[in-house]
Amino acid sequence: MRPCLTILVGLLLLCGSLSAQQTFTKAQLQADFAVLQKAYKTLHPGLYKYADSATIDRYFIDCQALLNHDQSLTDAYLSVMQLTAQLKCGHSYPNFYNQEGAVKALFEQDNCLPFQFRLIDNRMLVTHSIDPAVAVGMEVKTINGTPVATIINTMLPLVRADGANNGKRLRLLEISGQGFEYFDVLFPMLYPRGLPAFRLELANLRTGKPLAVTVQGMRHVVRNEQIRKAYTISTDTVATFRWLNPATAILRINTFAAYNKPFNFGKFYEAAATEFGQKSGQNLIIDIRDNEGGDSWNGKQLIRHLITKPIVINEQQNSWAYVCMDSTLNPYILNKWAYQWRYRTDNEFIKSASGQYRSVNERQPKPLDPNYKPIVARVFLLTSATNSSAALQFAAAMKEHKLATLVGQQTGGNQKGITAGALFFIELPNTKIEVDVPLIGMDYAEAAKRPDAGIMPDVYVKPSLLDALNGVDTELVMVQKLIEKHN
């Protein structure tokens, strides 16, 4: 038995012994597993991008073994989470936001830490706190007796990300007030002893003085709301434009997704371009460090302001794993409106040498034309491991077409392509655990040519615990040095 599986089995037994949840029988769990396996093996076009078929088969066998006895919902959820994480697809996981009923209730307990934090070199730095016993800037050394580094290393194999990009996994383990977050979900499942109280060993990074405190857990939504009020943090800021000095402006884009917000990206960019031109700006800093993705068109609209002639952005996301879906999966698809992904015919697709399918009507990418309001400037793009999906694609296009100097850390996502575009939300019949199954990905032959990595910046900036403690924006300072050097 492999180490990762051995650790998880032990944790599952611990969780099960402490849980008062409904118990599911072996037969129920095996029925759920059958649906889970069929969904991913028949629908996922990137299943074998990072591992061969024998390895993928072993992952499913391991999951089936974990579900081969009566157990609680928590145990089953962790087993599913481990399997989907092993597939190394950032869009494949039991989505926190798509769960309902008893599954959703697992995440809505008073057992979350009363503060937010960053992870730098596997060290936990408190960034916002509503408990007076835990000051901002303190380092958390242990939680309920377990070292933070041990906790992080135990959680990492359960976190979604594309390929071997652990930087993305670490960013997802931070608590930043983004709704359901991995640490809030996983810690009570993996380390339930002592909850809802947290016994913390802290260190004052300025003095080196240790401190031991006990704080009470709380619901994540209550904590995040209290932090937003205490620190005056807006939740509706999609993007901002401001001047750092008369020559340099900062365009910060926190997301390319604004489906439920009255925000018009095109008008925002045009207003920024107009102001930049009127004030004779020279340097533009585009900050996407907190941007996980969304609609790729919302990034392309900005690129149109940065080009002087048409360019082609070829994202190579055009392959499916199936033509006719296995009809036995129909009862488990929650997004019933997705008819166009369920009912297709053979004459709509051609089979590639890799065994995937592509539309017979597939068109070459259309050139992206310049906007009539260009931004003429020296452009810098701030990147981080948070950037995946559409944010990865934006960073890739900016680098490929030399539209900016990238400064920061390797992005999340992967150069082997993301698998998304269309998704089925599959609900397992007995536990009611939902899993996201993405449907469109990169052709295996094309992916094989590319490195298993995100987009590397032109200028790498190592995150600094000391800078974070002192409120220094390390990446922005680097850009200012680059501007001064050029001048």
Side-chain angles (χ1 to χ4, degrees), residues 22 45 61 88 100 104 227 240 342 368 377 385 423 433 485:
Q22 175 186 354
I61 291 170
K88 297 183 179 179
E100 296 292 341
K104 186 178 180 181
I227 285 176
T240 58
R342 288 196 280 171
L368 189 67
L423 296 99
I433 295 171
K485 182 178 180 180

Side-chain angles (χ1 to χ4, degrees), residues 199-220:
R199 183 167 44 85
L200 308 174
E201 291 182 9
L202 308 169
N204 186 316
L205 291 177
R206 299 189 190 281
T207 66
K209 183 178 179 181
L211 176 68
V213 301
T214 297
V215 298
Q216 291 300 309
M218 60 195 311
R219 197 161 299 194
H220 74 281

Side-chain angles (χ1 to χ4, degrees), residues 348-362:
E348 296 178 81
F349 290 87
I350 55 174
K351 193 171 185 177
S352 68
S354 62
Q356 296 161 300
Y357 297 89
R358 294 167 68 172
S359 171
V360 296
N361 297 319
E362 181 183 345

Side-chain angles (χ1 to χ4, degrees), residues 36-37 39-41 44 46-51 55-57 59-60 80-93 157 159-164 169 419 436-438:
L36 179 71
Q37 177 172 245
Y40 279 108
K41 283 200 169 184
H44 197 296
L47 196 64
Y48 305 105
K49 188 188 297 184
Y50 300 104
T55 302
I56 295 297
D57 285 345
Y59 294 154
F60 280 98
V80 172
M81 184 175 277
Q82 175 179 279
L83 171 66
T84 55
Q86 287 172 321
L87 303 182
K88 297 183 179 179
C89 170
H91 289 86
S92 298
Y93 73 119
V159 181
R160 64 180 174 90
D162 293 290
R169 293 180 175 91
T419 305
D436 285 8
V437 183

Side-chain angles (χ1 to χ4, degrees), residues 407-409 457 459-463 474-475 478:
V407 179
Q409 297 85 46
V459 180
Y460 175 76
V461 179
K462 189 180 188 315
T474 316
E475 293 81 17
M478 174 57 74

Side-chain angles (χ1 to χ4, degrees), residues 30-304:
Q30 291 300 303
D32 278 12
F33 171 78
V35 173
L36 179 71
Q37 177 172 245
K38 183 179 291 185
Y40 279 108
K41 283 200 169 184
T42 64
L43 301 176
H44 197 296
L47 196 64
Y48 305 105
K49 188 188 297 184
Y50 300 104
D52 59 26
S53 59
T55 302
I56 295 297
D57 285 345
R58 190 170 69 244
Y59 294 154
F60 280 98
I61 291 170
D62 289 346
C63 182
Q64 186 175 26
L66 287 173
L67 296 172
N68 203 33
H69 64 275
D70 298 358
Q71 60 195 256
S72 72
L73 182 58
T74 290
D75 299 351
Y77 189 84
L78 286 170
S79 297
V80 172
M81 184 175 277
Q82 175 179 279
L83 171 66
T84 55
Q86 287 172 321
L87 303 182
K88 297 183 179 179
C89 170
H91 289 86
S92 298
Y93 73 119
N95 192 331
F96 308 141
Y97 295 93
N98 286 341
Q99 309 301 333
E100 296 292 341
V103 185
K104 186 178 180 181
L106 293 177
F107 320 145
E108 296 184 328
Q109 307 295 320
D110 296 326
N111 52 15
C112 298
L113 291 165
F115 55 83
Q116 297 172 358
F117 61 83
R118 283 192 62 188
L119 294 174
I120 301 176
D121 295 331
N122 267 19
R123 297 171 68 180
M124 182 181 288
L125 180 69
V126 177
T127 56
H128 303 85
S129 176
I130 53 171
D131 193 304
V134 183
V136 170
M138 299 291 283
E139 180 185 358
V140 182
K141 294 287 196 178
T142 70
I143 303 176
N144 288 347
T146 304
V148 164
T150 300
I151 295 170
I152 298 306
N153 289 332
T154 302
M155 291 182 177
L156 270 179
L158 301 172
V159 181
R160 64 180 174 90
D162 293 290
N165 201 333
N166 267 353
K168 174 68 174 183
R169 293 180 175 91
L170 285 167
R171 288 303 291 263
L172 285 174
L173 282 175
E174 296 178 342
I175 297 296
S176 58
Q178 300 301 310
F180 292 122
E181 296 178 280
Y182 269 93
F183 196 95
D184 284 336
V185 170
L186 287 177
F187 190 86
M189 293 184 177
L190 298 176
Y191 298 95
R193 292 191 186 279
L195 295 180
F198 293 92
R199 183 167 44 85
L200 308 174
E201 291 182 9
L202 308 169
N204 186 316
L205 291 177
R206 299 189 190 281
T207 66
K209 183 178 179 181
L211 176 68
V213 301
T214 297
V215 298
Q216 291 300 309
M218 60 195 311
R219 197 161 299 194
H220 74 281
V221 292
V222 175
R223 174 199 61 207
N224 293 343
E225 181 60 27
Q226 290 186 16
I227 285 176
R228 282 192 289 268
K229 289 180 179 179
Y231 293 86
T232 319
I233 300 172
S234 173
T235 60
D236 298 321
T237 306
V238 175
T240 58
F241 179 78
R242 66 182 179 88
W243 291 89
L244 186 63
N245 56 53
T248 304
I250 300 178
L251 181 63
R252 185 179 181 92
I253 311 168
N254 295 318
T255 180
F256 287 133
Y259 309 115
N260 58 347
K261 298 177 181 178
F263 187 86
N264 187 307
F265 282 90
K267 290 183 178 179
F268 172 77
Y269 295 144
E270 288 193 8
T274 298
E275 183 177 334
F276 191 87
Q278 290 174 343
K279 294 187 177 181
S280 301
Q282 299 173 30
N283 310 294
L284 177 64
I285 303 169
I286 302 171
D287 185 356
I288 62 168
R289 285 174 292 177
D290 291 333
N291 190 324
E292 192 172 6
D295 185 342
S296 62
W297 174 242
N298 293 328
K300 292 174 183 175
Q301 290 186 79
L302 176 56
I303 290 176
R304 293 184 62 218

